[in-house]
Amino acid sequence: NKEGKKNTNRKTQKENYTMATLGKSTYKRYPMAGRIFAELVGTFMLVFAVTMNSRELSSKTTNVYAAFSIAIALWLALVWGGPISGGHYNPAVTLTQLLVGGIDLAGAIVYVVTQFAGGFLAASVSYGILGSSLAPVEANSDYSTSVAWTCEFICTSILTFTVNIISDPNFNRDGEFMFKVAAVAATVFFGATTVGPISGGAFNPAVGTCGNVMGFVAQDDHSILNSLGIYLTAPFVGACFAAFLYLFVFKPNLEIKQEETQSMDKVTADYDAKEQLLHN
């Protein structure tokens, strides 16, 4: 029995080593229940950070501290949840990953439902804490809807394209996990500090929708819902555009030549050789 467990552990270690060496994500190896939990909690953390900072974000000038707080929340969620679920926390990210083959349709549907559930839970908790002082996630009325929509589209495109690039197996190298996590968080910080005062800085249908609807509940102002259409369309269109750029423009240039690609057998052999050296 002990020998069986030892062989199972060795097999798992070998598989993990192989996947890491080939630069492939291991999150698909986790049970769906664990992935759902990671997406639920990660999205909760992100939306909670946004809605708790809603008063500062609703001002017409950039609040760097609020933007930094949100970026840190995303960074933390990605650090622990990324290896489990892939760290989407954003229906737009899930859509772009679906289009580039990073997740299957069934998994994408489950992810999106989970993300909206986590978002509404976080927004509800923020409402319970802040009450009527909860400010909505909404576009600045000083700008036209088309301007706010364009801002959301541009920054979501940048965010989802960044995710596509750093998820590419040919981009993966040892020791780059923290760099990738920081890149995603930095993209959100960049968007929040540049166009946040114009569009509300959601770049995420779960953030925009949940923050907008709960803000309407807190403020009881129907005009708040005017921004809802922006958050339900612009991020998804941006995700599609990012997938197009990745698949037809950048991916061919990222692909490693076949003769330079490590085969599964070679990587496994390398693992065996290293393990044998350790035992000797």
Side-chain angles (χ1 to χ4, degrees):
N1 190 20
K2 289 184 178 180
E3 186 65 24
K5 289 183 178 180
K6 182 178 180 181
N7 290 334
T8 300
N9 291 336
R10 184 179 182 279
K11 181 180 178 181
T12 301
Q13 291 172 356
K14 181 184 291 187
E15 288 173 349
N16 289 338
Y17 175 86
T18 301
M19 296 292 279
T21 305
L22 292 176
K24 297 178 181 177
S25 173
T26 59
Y27 80 85
K28 292 182 181 178
R29 294 160 45 79
Y30 286 84
M32 180 56 78
R35 292 159 60 186
I36 291 174
F37 179 77
E39 285 295 307
L40 181 72
V41 176
T43 309
F44 178 94
M45 290 175 62
L46 177 59
V47 177
F48 183 70
V50 172
T51 50
M52 288 300 291
N53 282 291
S54 59
R55 182 61 62 185
E56 288 73 21
L57 294 172
S58 64
S59 63
K60 296 181 180 181
T61 57
T62 300
N63 188 304
V64 176
Y65 297 108
F68 186 71
S69 170
I70 295 166
I72 289 295
L74 178 58
W75 181 81
L76 290 173
L78 287 171
V79 166
W80 69 263
I84 300 174
S85 69
H88 291 196
Y89 314 141
N90 183 339
V93 169
T94 299
L95 174 60
T96 200
Q97 282 290 289
L98 173 66
L99 294 175
V100 303
I103 188 173
D104 58 38
L105 179 59
I109 293 173
V110 172
Y111 268 35
V112 170
V113 172
T114 301
Q115 289 154 3
F116 275 107
F120 273 112
L121 179 61
S124 299
V125 171
S126 294
Y127 174 58
I129 295 173
L130 298 176
S132 59
S133 63
L134 175 70
V137 177
E138 63 176 339
N140 191 333
S141 58
D142 291 345
Y143 297 88
S144 66
T145 299
S146 61
V147 169
W149 192 97
T150 302
C151 289
E152 286 291 305
F153 165 77
I154 291 173
C155 286
T156 307
S157 297
I158 295 172
L159 173 62
T160 50
F161 178 71
T162 300
V163 171
N164 288 338
I165 291 295
I166 66 176
S167 299
D168 190 290
N170 299 311
F171 183 85
N172 292 346
R173 298 294 183 271
D174 291 340
E176 288 187 348
F177 175 71
M178 297 304 292
F179 161 74
K180 295 175 186 179
V181 169
V184 176
T187 304
V188 171
F189 179 79
F190 156 76
T193 53
T194 51
V195 304
I198 299 175
S199 68
F203 323 132
N204 182 333
V207 169
T209 301
C210 300
N212 186 265
V213 171
M214 200 55 63
F216 159 71
V217 172
Q219 301 295 326
D220 194 22
D221 181 356
H222 284 81
S223 65
I224 291 172
L225 298 177
N226 293 338
S227 299
L228 196 58
I230 297 174
Y231 303 134
L232 286 174
T233 56
F236 286 124
V237 177
C240 293
F241 180 65
F244 168 79
L245 284 179
Y246 169 75
L247 288 174
F248 298 103
V249 180
F250 286 87
K251 184 172 175 58
N253 297 317
L254 286 173
E255 290 179 341
I256 301 175
K257 295 178 181 179
Q258 184 66 34
E259 60 269 18
E260 295 176 350
T261 305
Q262 291 180 299
S263 67
M264 185 73 74
D265 291 339
K266 184 178 183 302
V267 174
T268 302
D270 289 344
Y271 178 88
D272 289 334
K274 290 184 178 182
E275 187 176 55
Q276 186 174 1
L277 286 174
L278 287 175
H279 286 300
N280 292 337

